[in-house]
Structures are given as structure tokens and as C-alpha cells.
Amino acid sequence: MNLSRTFLIATGAFVSLQAHAQSSVVSSGNAAQENLKSLVNGSAAISYDNRYEGVRGTPYLISAWIPGTIQLASKVPLPETKLKYDANQRLLLMLRSPKDSTYVDMNKVEGFVLNDPTKSQPRAFKRFYDAPDPALRQEYFEVLVPGNYSLLKLQRKTLQKASYSGAYSADRRYDELLDQTDYYIRTADGRLQPFKLNAKALAAALPEHSAQIQAELKKRPALRTEADFVAFAPWLNTLPALPAK
């Protein structure tokens, strides 16, 4: 009788332990599933936005390698080589061999000339260390017409960032390098006067000669394009130089 009772107690204990173990396994399994679920649906989930399409456009003023020369601030002459001008970062890239190119130390570069095959004349770019605006002292202006009233063109590439997130986005899924062109008149005393390509803006840029400029413009066709202003610049350079301020 005592032996049977002992057997029944032992058997009951074993069943109780087995049930507890099964309960623990089920509980652990549920917890594991919940943890996995949280990785997908909860705060631990990682989503990827594959809509971005990269960068469009080129940072270079001219994409192809162009024969040209570099003018150093030290005035040491350099032989002709092939160049690219990065108008976004304001850097000059030089081809040293068919498979080797390098950026030039722009702190030493006063200017450069590109022999652009699409133009009738070499394109000269110059840095003006005496520009009144310190930011403009870092720029390389294309000298369209030199003289007491030099006609200058400043060409830059600005990066427009992608915009496709949010309710008011432009749905533009790429960054883009855009052309930015500004025109200046540089006077003999070093002033840089920005102006738009219209006659009124030119006269306003040179108030000391405004009346003469307006009188001359009445005799000519309207100035609208860069070529029109290049053609007008030789007359502008017949005016007396402005006195230094």
C-alpha cells in the first residue's frame, strides 16, 4: 500500500513537471515570435527609400579635356596641357598623362586659358585678388572684353538637392548641378559692378557715365544678349577711366 502511494505521488510530480516544461516552451516560443514580429512591425524595423536617382549634370564648365595654359601668381610660365574647370568647387583639373589627372593648388593659380574648339578666340579666366567683396576674390571670371571697363562673366555650377520627402516636396528624386551665370563690369580702379543683360542695368552699374551710355544706346539696336554687350564693350572702353575712390 505504501509502495503504490509512493508510485502515484512520483508519477503525479513527473506529470506536473512535464506540463510546466511544455508551458515554458510555449511561453518561450510565443515570446520569440513576438520578438521577431517586433523587428518587422515595431520600432526596430528598418525601411529603405530607393527613390533617389543620383546626381544629374556635370560640375565641369566643359566636360571634355580642353588644351589650355595655367598662369601662376608667381608668373612662372607653364607649358600647355589639357584642363577641366570644376565650376562647382572652383578647382582646376590637369591631365598629366592619358590615365593620370590631378587637381591643381588653386592658391597658386592667378588665371588660366582654355582653347575651346567651339569658340573663335581662347577663353581667358582671371582671379581678382583686389575685389571689394572677399567672396569674389576666390572666383575665376571669364574676361569677355578687357579694358578700363572690362566685361566679365562669372559661371558657377550650383547643386540643387533632391526633394521627394514630405507632403510639399517637388517630387524631384535626384540632385542636379545647375548653371549659374552672372555678369560684371570691372572698372580700372578695381570695382566690380554686377549687372543684368539689359541697357538700363548697364547704365545703372556705371552711374558716373550713365547719361553718356544712355545717349549712345539710343543710336543702337537694343542690347539683349551676351554677344550684343561684347559688341558694345569697345565703345564703353572709349570713356575715360573712373578716378580711384
Side-chain angles (χ1 to χ4, degrees), residues 1-15:
M1 187 70 176
N2 291 339
L3 180 62
S4 298
R5 185 177 179 184
T6 302
F7 175 76
L8 289 173
I9 292 172
T11 302
F14 175 75
V15 171

Side-chain angles (χ1 to χ4, degrees), residues 59-170:
Y60 299 110
L61 190 62
I62 304 170
S63 296
W65 289 104
I66 300 293
T69 53
I70 300 172
Q71 284 101 42
L72 298 178
S74 65
K75 309 302 181 184
V76 174
L78 295 175
E80 184 178 86
T81 186
K82 289 189 176 180
L83 304 170
K84 282 185 182 182
Y85 179 57
D86 183 332
N88 175 248
Q89 300 186 76
R90 298 157 181 80
L91 294 173
L92 200 60
L93 193 62
M94 179 177 67
L95 192 66
R96 295 193 293 193
S97 71
K99 296 184 179 180
D100 181 27
S101 61
T102 184
Y103 281 108
V104 177
D105 183 354
M106 301 307 282
N107 291 320
K108 299 178 181 178
V109 177
E110 185 177 86
F112 56 94
V113 175
L114 298 178
N115 296 311
D116 186 346
T118 67
K119 304 291 183 180
S120 58
Q121 298 291 330
R123 301 175 66 179
F125 296 80
K126 186 174 177 59
R127 183 175 172 183
F128 296 101
Y129 298 99
D130 60 350
D133 183 350
L136 293 178
R137 296 171 193 169
Q138 307 300 317
E139 302 287 358
Y140 289 86
F141 295 82
E142 183 172 5
V143 182
L144 298 177
V145 181
N148 285 332
Y149 301 95
S150 297
L151 178 60
L152 307 177
K153 181 179 181 180
L154 179 56
Q155 299 159 92
R156 287 171 280 193
K157 298 273 189 169
T158 58
L159 184 66
Q160 183 182 55
K161 299 293 290 182
S163 173
Y164 54 86
S165 299
Y168 300 101
S169 71

